[in-house]
Amino acid sequence: AQSVSQHNHHVILSEAASLELGCNYSYGGTVNLFWYVQYPGQHLQLLLKYFSGDPLVKGIKGFEAEFIKSKFSFNLRKPSVQWSDTAEYFCAVSPYNQGGKLIFGQGTELSVKP
Amino acid sequence: DAGVIQSPRHEVTEMGQEVTLRCKPISGHDYLFWYRQTMMRGLELLIYFNNNVPIDDSGMPEDRFSAKMPNASFSTLKIQPSEPRDSAVYFCASSLGGLAMESRKETQYFGPGTRLLVL
């Protein structure tokens, strides 16, 4: 079955610390990859996406993600987090032949201490 | 554009009552998705439409759930009768295209969600 696994359920960091959130997926075919962010009380917003080309993708607010095909991974990184990055982060996969539907990971809650 | 619009934003109802959630996708988008978010199960796709036609409803939990899209600018998700375990946040999302090579690049835009509490 297709699935997306996010390794950390809750991450707590101090401001200026570096962030890496893990994401692995299980699907043998071509996929599009996404990271969405959900700030407290708000809806999901697209952080970044990968379709093809350079496996290192840069998104908004200083976030980036690297697609490693051999590891079926799409980890999210940020060199220096801010208090305003406190949110829940969702990795999602869209298998190419399935009409664009998204399969989400369980989410990682990030708390940044000021 | 106003983005994806959902109503109501909050709904509190009693077990056994009918609940109707509404969604207006972004104008011009031809795909519409309904998701449910719970603490236990995370974000799950319930059903999605292409050009107003349901394509995949395998995520719909049971017969108490039904979804319609009578036209390109409106969709409903109905629960009848509602149960406490249906309490969740229900998100609607829309996108432009999904299968054609160029439209692979499109992404889904989410509405603000409807927070449903069934007592």
Side-chain angles (χ1 to χ4, degrees):
Chain A
Q2 302 157 2
S3 65
V4 178
S5 174
Q6 292 182 239
H7 313 305
N8 312 100
H9 293 295
H10 192 186
V11 173
I12 302 173
L13 296 173
S14 297
E15 275 193 318
S18 64
L19 170 72
E20 180 159 1
L21 302 182
C23 173
N24 286 87
Y25 66 93
S26 64
Y27 183 74
T30 303
V31 294
N32 299 328
L33 297 155
F34 305 82
W35 276 96
Y36 281 86
V37 60
Q38 187 176 28
Y39 296 103
Q42 297 188 26
H43 61 284
L44 280 85
Q45 301 172 41
L46 182 67
L47 204 53
L48 50 77
K49 60 188 178 185
Y50 171 81
F51 292 113
S52 63
D54 189 344
L56 185 61
V57 179
K58 294 192 185 299
I60 61 172
K61 303 185 180 185
F63 285 91
E64 64 179 32
E66 185 175 12
F67 172 47
I68 302 179
K69 190 174 182 180
S70 61
K71 295 185 178 180
F72 297 90
S73 71
F74 190 55
N75 292 354
L76 181 71
R77 298 194 292 252
K78 186 170 183 178
S80 176
V81 295
Q82 300 173 317
W83 176 78
S84 58
D85 294 324
T86 295
E88 189 155 15
Y89 293 80
F90 293 91
C91 180
V93 166
S94 176
Y96 176 53
N97 65 345
Q98 295 189 21
K101 76 177 188 181
L102 289 172
I103 302 165
F104 282 91
Q106 284 291 90
T108 297
E109 185 179 347
L110 172 65
S111 299
V112 180
K113 298 183 294 185
Chain B
D1 199 310
V4 177
I5 299 172
Q6 289 187 247
S7 65
R9 294 292 305 275
H10 301 272
E11 177 82 27
V12 181
T13 190
E14 293 186 343
M15 184 173 65
Q17 296 298 307
E18 177 179 296
V19 175
T20 299
L21 311 181
R22 298 173 178 80
C23 175
K24 176 179 168 54
I26 292 172
S27 178
H29 281 189
D30 57 350
Y31 277 80
L32 184 140
F33 304 79
W34 281 101
Y35 292 88
R36 177 172 68 175
Q37 185 180 32
T38 61
M39 290 290 292
M40 291 297 295
R41 301 174 68 89
L43 268 162
E44 305 171 279
L45 176 66
L46 300 178
I47 185 171
Y48 74 96
F49 297 82
N50 176 220
N51 292 322
N52 314 337
V53 176
I55 303 300
D56 183 353
D57 64 355
S58 59
M60 295 285 263
E62 48 196 275
D63 292 345
R64 297 184 297 107
F65 285 70
S66 63
K68 294 181 180 180
M69 192 165 185
N71 57 62
S73 59
F74 183 66
S75 176
T76 59
L77 178 67
K78 188 174 292 186
I79 309 173
Q80 166 63 20
S82 58
E83 296 182 3
R85 60 194 169 118
D86 301 330
S87 297
V89 182
Y90 291 81
F91 288 104
C92 177
S94 71
S95 69
L96 179 61
L99 286 176
M101 181 59 72
E102 289 303 313
S103 60
R104 283 182 64 207
K105 299 185 184 300
E106 295 300 332
T107 55
Q108 294 179 29
Y109 296 88
F110 283 76
T114 295
R115 189 172 297 273
L116 173 65
L117 177 61
V118 183
L119 302 173

